[in-house]
Amino acid sequence: GRDLSGFDLSNANLTNANLSNTVLKGANLSGVDLSGRDLSGFDLTNAKLTNSNLSNANLANSNLTNSNLTNAN
């Protein structure tokens, strides 16, 4: 997988991106549409997910410690 820790991916179009085994610790995912994505087991520690669309996303066993989920749905 890819290590995108700390990357600024705000408002990025990740619709067709393969995120399998991607490390997203501290990444800025503000405004990103992650609806319906399988994010199970992802480490999203300290990630910024403000205004992100997480509807129907699978977050089972994901680490969201200290993540900012303000206005995420």
Side-chain angles (χ1 to χ4, degrees), residues 4-72:
L4 300 178
S5 297
F7 274 59
D8 183 355
L9 301 170
S10 55
N11 299 306
N13 182 348
L14 301 178
T15 304
N16 295 313
N18 179 355
L19 297 176
S20 299
N21 301 312
T22 301
V23 179
L24 294 167
K25 289 171 36 175
N28 183 350
L29 297 163
S30 298
V32 175
D33 183 359
L34 296 168
S35 59
R37 300 301 296 262
D38 182 8
L39 302 174
S40 57
F42 274 56
D43 188 348
L44 295 162
T45 304
N46 298 314
K48 186 174 182 183
L49 294 157
T50 54
N51 300 309
S52 294
N53 185 351
L54 298 170
S55 58
N56 297 314
N58 182 355
L59 294 166
N61 299 311
S62 293
N63 186 345
L64 294 165
T65 304
N66 294 322
S67 293
N68 186 340
L69 296 164
T70 304
N71 295 322

